Amino acid sequence: MNGSELLHYGVYFLLTLALSTLFSMGGVGAAIVLVPTFTMMGMPLNLAKAIGLFINSASTITASVMNFFRGVLDVGFAMPLVISILLATPVGAWLSQYVQKEVVEWILVAFLLVSALLLIFSHRETKVVYDKAWILYLIGGSVGLVSGMIGVGGGSLIMPLLILLGFDAKKAAYAISFVIPFSSLGGFATYLSFVHMDWIMLGVVTVAAIMGGYIGDRIMHYNLTPGQVKKLIAVLLLLLSAKMVMKLLHINV
Amino acid sequence: MVHIMKKIADWIVDHEKDDAADCTVPDEVVDEWLETIEERKKRMEEHGRTDTQQYEMLSDLEKKVKEIKEIRRRKCHLGKKEG
């Protein structure tokens, strides 16, 4: 490997490390920002999507393993979300041919903005209120349908829903980082069937994502209170909605 | 399998004791950690799963987090009262 190749992979490594750390602190995957960033840096879109999905899985699996061993990840609580998302995402992808994608995306932008503002301005006591399995199946099913339809990660949609329903922000983040690998790895396998994979790049960014998942999770667990996690998630949602509005209005930066 | 996982859990928590015992970490963080473990244990008790290895693992973790709280109480809060 020559100097320019080292620099090339080094830049991707640092970018992935920084963004995976930030997003792991909020319990969601970083693919949503990494895919457009990689594309802007010249990576083919489908390759960027495939690598982004794998990165999502790598950083969230790391965080989930840590959380499991700390006793804070309740696999039983997260299972209804996993099952319903796995069932609903392919249905959403199938439905996408009958629904105008732009309309769904504008509804999603409104949802993300309202959620972010409620997370910033509401001072509601965050105690688990609706923790029945049926509501988790309903949330997972609805999120799976929408994320399958428009191709966005499920984590950023489930997170505000769970928090607005009264779930503690950190507990929601622990559960969601367990759900994401299931929804992302299926998508990665699909892309792998038709994308020419750059395996060195995949290896480099995966190491960065695992490190980012570990660092972000430790910061969240020991240095942030649930209130601070809520605010961090709100900021991530605002960034995400800004990115979607720019895409919908065809604004390129 | 659970026995191996219990060993890893012990190792991770021991390894992270220094982080948790750091006085700049808010009390809320450690309280919430303990609360989550207690909630999970309570749910397992309600479902009659107290004789499982997973319950045992959670009980050990609960003890360790209580130890961390005790270390913090001596190290951080005693110092505050004296000061």
Side-chain angles (χ1 to χ4, degrees):
Chain A
M1 197 182 288
N2 60 36
S4 71
E5 276 180 330
L6 261 179
L7 185 68
H8 174 72
Y9 288 122
V11 169
Y12 278 95
F13 180 88
L14 291 175
L15 249 177
T16 308
L17 179 65
L19 289 168
S20 294
T21 303
L22 179 69
F23 278 71
S24 297
M25 279 158 57
V28 293
I32 200 85
V33 289
L34 281 170
V35 174
T37 312
F38 285 176
T39 315
M40 275 189 281
M41 289 166 70
M43 189 185 276
L45 179 63
N46 280 339
L47 179 63
K49 280 186 177 176
I51 290 181
L53 285 167
F54 197 77
I55 289 171
N56 256 7
S57 310
S59 59
T60 48
I61 285 173
T62 309
S64 282
V65 168
M66 297 291 296
N67 288 329
F68 177 78
F69 288 128
R70 283 189 198 117
V72 293
L73 169 67
D74 188 348
V75 176
F77 165 74
M79 276 324 272
L81 289 172
V82 172
I83 294 167
S84 50
I85 279 190
L86 282 178
L87 290 175
T89 308
V91 179
W94 174 77
L95 277 175
S96 65
Q97 54 190 322
Y98 303 108
V99 183
Q100 206 183 340
K101 200 178 165 193
E102 285 213 337
V103 175
V104 184
E105 285 186 335
W106 276 116
I107 296 171
L108 189 67
V109 166
F111 167 76
L112 292 177
L113 281 174
V114 171
S115 302
L117 294 175
L118 283 172
L119 290 179
I120 292 170
F121 295 112
S122 85
H123 297 285
R124 184 178 163 190
E125 191 66 21
T126 51
K127 288 284 167 198
V128 174
V129 183
Y130 308 101
D131 63 345
K132 297 278 176 278
W134 71 266
I135 195 108
L136 297 173
Y137 280 111
L138 185 70
I139 292 173
S142 327
V143 167
L145 276 181
V146 175
S147 62
M149 210 180 285
I150 60 172
V152 298
S156 48
L157 299 178
I158 312 175
M159 181 64 82
L161 276 176
L162 287 183
I163 296 176
L164 295 178
L165 281 172
F167 286 85
D168 175 275
K170 273 190 165 182
K171 283 173 199 163
Y174 296 144
I176 289 162
S177 58
F178 176 74
V179 176
I180 292 170
F182 291 92
S183 53
S184 300
L185 281 177
F188 172 73
T190 313
Y191 276 103
L192 205 56
S193 63
F194 61 86
V195 162
H196 180 69
M197 181 51 68
D198 179 347
W199 293 103
I200 297 177
M201 178 64 83
L202 187 70
V204 167
V205 294
T206 301
V207 171
I210 290 171
M211 286 168 68
Y214 179 77
I215 299 166
D217 176 71
R218 271 182 90 136
I219 295 173
M220 177 178 82
H221 190 71
Y222 292 114
N223 302 94
L224 299 178
T225 61
Q228 289 166 327
V229 175
K230 251 170 79 171
K231 293 211 164 44
L232 174 74
I233 292 161
V235 172
L236 295 179
L237 294 180
L238 286 175
L239 287 174
L240 176 61
S241 48
K243 187 196 145 268
M244 288 188 71
V245 169
M246 282 165 69
K247 188 184 148 207
L248 283 163
L249 298 176
H250 306 288
I251 300 169
N252 292 314
V253 180
Chain B
M1 186 66 184
V2 176
H3 184 69
I4 298 166
M5 293 205 291
K6 191 175 156 314
K7 289 269 176 220
I8 301 172
D10 288 348
W11 181 81
I12 284 178
V13 176
D14 279 340
H15 191 67
E16 293 193 356
K17 226 176 197 171
D18 289 343
D19 273 352
D22 177 352
C23 295
T24 60
V25 170
D27 283 341
E28 201 182 342
V29 168
V30 182
D31 289 343
E32 183 241 7
W33 186 8
L34 188 61
E35 192 188 300
T36 310
I37 293 172
E38 282 169 352
E39 260 176 38
R40 286 192 60 198
K41 272 187 71 183
K42 204 173 131 197
R43 214 171 316 146
M44 289 184 84
E45 282 159 13
E46 282 166 6
H47 290 92
R49 294 176 58 205
T50 49
D51 54 348
T52 59
Q53 281 177 305
Q54 200 188 352
Y55 184 81
E56 199 187 314
M57 184 177 125
L58 280 177
S59 300
D60 284 350
L61 273 168
E62 188 186 19
K63 256 186 245 164
K64 281 179 187 287
V65 180
K66 280 183 177 164
E67 272 172 37
I68 290 171
K69 274 193 81 157
E70 183 55 29
I71 293 169
R72 285 171 60 89
R73 195 185 62 80
R74 280 192 311 237
K75 193 175 140 191
C76 310
H77 297 275
L78 208 63
K80 267 186 205 164
K81 275 179 195 163
E82 282 166 359

